[in-house]
Short mmCIF file of all heavy atoms in Angstrom, two decimals:
data_model
loop_
_atom_site.label_atom_id
_atom_site.label_comp_id
_atom_site.label_asym_id
_atom_site.label_seq_id
_atom_site.Cartn_x
_atom_site.Cartn_y
_atom_site.Cartn_z
N ILE B 201 -15.76 -42.00 0.25
CA ILE B 201 -16.77 -40.97 0.67
C ILE B 201 -16.02 -39.69 0.86
O ILE B 201 -15.05 -39.52 1.48
CB ILE B 201 -17.38 -41.48 1.97
CG1 ILE B 201 -18.13 -42.74 1.85
CG2 ILE B 201 -18.46 -40.26 2.39
CD1 ILE B 201 -19.24 -42.82 0.87
N LEU B 202 -16.65 -38.62 0.25
CA LEU B 202 -16.11 -37.32 0.49
C LEU B 202 -16.99 -36.58 1.53
O LEU B 202 -18.13 -36.26 1.31
CB LEU B 202 -16.28 -36.49 -0.88
CG LEU B 202 -15.80 -35.02 -0.85
CD1 LEU B 202 -14.17 -35.06 -0.59
CD2 LEU B 202 -16.07 -34.41 -2.22
N GLY B 203 -16.43 -36.60 2.81
CA GLY B 203 -17.31 -36.02 3.80
C GLY B 203 -17.10 -34.50 3.83
O GLY B 203 -16.00 -34.08 4.02
N LEU B 204 -18.22 -33.87 3.72
CA LEU B 204 -18.12 -32.43 3.71
C LEU B 204 -18.68 -31.81 4.94
O LEU B 204 -19.85 -31.70 5.19
CB LEU B 204 -19.06 -31.87 2.51
CG LEU B 204 -18.53 -32.35 1.10
CD1 LEU B 204 -19.57 -32.03 -0.02
CD2 LEU B 204 -17.15 -31.83 0.84
N ALA B 205 -17.72 -31.56 5.83
CA ALA B 205 -18.03 -30.91 7.07
C ALA B 205 -17.99 -29.49 7.04
O ALA B 205 -17.27 -28.73 7.71
CB ALA B 205 -16.91 -31.39 8.15
N ASN B 206 -18.91 -28.98 6.19
CA ASN B 206 -19.00 -27.49 6.01
C ASN B 206 -20.48 -27.24 5.71
O ASN B 206 -21.33 -28.17 5.68
CB ASN B 206 -18.09 -26.99 4.94
CG ASN B 206 -18.22 -27.65 3.64
OD1 ASN B 206 -19.22 -28.37 3.32
ND2 ASN B 206 -17.16 -27.59 2.76
N ALA B 207 -20.79 -25.87 5.46
CA ALA B 207 -22.13 -25.66 5.17
C ALA B 207 -22.45 -24.42 4.36
O ALA B 207 -21.47 -23.81 4.04
CB ALA B 207 -22.82 -25.34 6.56
N GLY B 208 -23.63 -24.21 3.88
CA GLY B 208 -23.87 -23.09 3.15
C GLY B 208 -23.19 -22.94 1.86
O GLY B 208 -22.97 -23.83 1.11
N GLY B 209 -22.70 -21.73 1.62
CA GLY B 209 -21.83 -21.46 0.41
C GLY B 209 -20.66 -22.37 0.30
O GLY B 209 -20.39 -22.73 -0.85
N ASP B 210 -20.03 -22.76 1.36
CA ASP B 210 -18.91 -23.63 1.37
C ASP B 210 -19.28 -25.05 0.84
O ASP B 210 -18.45 -25.60 -0.05
CB ASP B 210 -18.26 -23.79 2.62
CG ASP B 210 -17.52 -22.53 3.05
OD1 ASP B 210 -17.26 -21.65 2.25
OD2 ASP B 210 -17.19 -22.37 4.30
N PHE B 211 -20.42 -25.47 1.22
CA PHE B 211 -20.88 -26.76 0.82
C PHE B 211 -21.20 -26.81 -0.74
O PHE B 211 -20.79 -27.57 -1.43
CB PHE B 211 -22.19 -27.12 1.62
CG PHE B 211 -22.88 -28.34 1.00
CD1 PHE B 211 -22.38 -29.62 1.11
CD2 PHE B 211 -24.01 -28.22 0.24
CE1 PHE B 211 -22.94 -30.71 0.60
CE2 PHE B 211 -24.57 -29.28 -0.25
CZ PHE B 211 -24.17 -30.51 -0.16
N ILE B 212 -21.80 -25.63 -1.07
CA ILE B 212 -22.20 -25.51 -2.51
C ILE B 212 -20.92 -25.54 -3.40
O ILE B 212 -20.96 -26.19 -4.40
CB ILE B 212 -23.03 -24.20 -2.69
CG1 ILE B 212 -24.41 -24.28 -2.01
CG2 ILE B 212 -23.22 -23.90 -4.26
CD1 ILE B 212 -25.20 -23.08 -2.10
N ASN B 213 -19.96 -24.70 -2.93
CA ASN B 213 -18.71 -24.61 -3.75
C ASN B 213 -18.03 -25.97 -3.77
O ASN B 213 -17.45 -26.31 -4.82
CB ASN B 213 -17.81 -23.61 -3.20
CG ASN B 213 -18.38 -22.23 -3.54
OD1 ASN B 213 -19.10 -22.05 -4.66
ND2 ASN B 213 -18.14 -21.20 -2.70
N SER B 214 -18.12 -26.62 -2.72
CA SER B 214 -17.35 -27.97 -2.82
C SER B 214 -18.08 -28.97 -3.59
O SER B 214 -17.29 -29.75 -4.33
CB SER B 214 -17.01 -28.54 -1.34
OG SER B 214 -17.89 -28.07 -0.43
N ILE B 215 -19.40 -29.07 -3.69
CA ILE B 215 -20.14 -29.91 -4.51
C ILE B 215 -19.81 -29.54 -5.89
O ILE B 215 -19.56 -30.51 -6.85
CB ILE B 215 -21.61 -29.92 -4.27
CG1 ILE B 215 -21.95 -30.55 -2.91
CG2 ILE B 215 -22.38 -30.54 -5.41
CD1 ILE B 215 -21.85 -31.99 -2.93
N LYS B 216 -19.76 -28.33 -6.25
CA LYS B 216 -19.56 -27.83 -7.50
C LYS B 216 -18.07 -28.35 -8.02
O LYS B 216 -17.92 -28.96 -9.21
CB LYS B 216 -19.52 -26.32 -7.70
CG LYS B 216 -20.87 -25.77 -7.96
CD LYS B 216 -20.77 -24.41 -8.32
CE LYS B 216 -22.01 -23.47 -8.48
NZ LYS B 216 -21.78 -22.21 -8.49
N ALA B 217 -17.16 -28.08 -7.19
CA ALA B 217 -15.77 -28.36 -7.52
C ALA B 217 -15.59 -29.85 -7.74
O ALA B 217 -14.97 -30.38 -8.65
CB ALA B 217 -14.92 -27.89 -6.48
N ALA B 218 -16.27 -30.67 -6.93
CA ALA B 218 -16.22 -32.00 -6.94
C ALA B 218 -16.78 -32.59 -8.29
O ALA B 218 -15.96 -33.44 -8.85
CB ALA B 218 -16.97 -32.77 -5.90
N SER B 219 -17.78 -32.05 -8.63
CA SER B 219 -18.30 -32.59 -10.09
C SER B 219 -17.39 -32.10 -11.15
O SER B 219 -17.15 -32.76 -12.10
CB SER B 219 -19.78 -32.18 -10.19
OG SER B 219 -19.87 -30.93 -10.77
N GLU B 220 -16.97 -30.80 -11.03
CA GLU B 220 -16.14 -30.16 -12.09
C GLU B 220 -14.77 -31.09 -12.27
O GLU B 220 -14.33 -31.25 -13.35
CB GLU B 220 -15.69 -28.76 -11.67
CG GLU B 220 -15.39 -27.96 -12.85
CD GLU B 220 -14.81 -26.61 -12.39
OE1 GLU B 220 -14.91 -26.23 -11.16
OE2 GLU B 220 -14.24 -25.88 -13.17
N PHE B 221 -14.19 -31.54 -11.25
CA PHE B 221 -13.01 -32.19 -11.17
C PHE B 221 -13.08 -33.63 -11.46
O PHE B 221 -12.22 -34.49 -11.12
CB PHE B 221 -12.12 -31.91 -10.11
CG PHE B 221 -11.37 -30.57 -10.25
CD1 PHE B 221 -12.09 -29.48 -9.79
CD2 PHE B 221 -10.13 -30.54 -10.77
CE1 PHE B 221 -11.37 -28.14 -10.04
CE2 PHE B 221 -9.41 -29.29 -11.03
CZ PHE B 221 -10.16 -28.07 -10.74
N GLY B 222 -14.53 -34.10 -11.65
CA GLY B 222 -14.62 -35.51 -11.81
C GLY B 222 -14.53 -36.36 -10.54
O GLY B 222 -14.16 -37.42 -10.68
#
Side-chain angles (χ1 to χ4, degrees):
Chain B
I201 302 296
L202 180 65
L204 298 173
N206 53 18
D210 286 347
F211 169 76
I212 295 179
N213 286 331
S214 22
I215 288 286
K216 274 192 185 165
S219 86
E220 204 187 348
F221 280 86

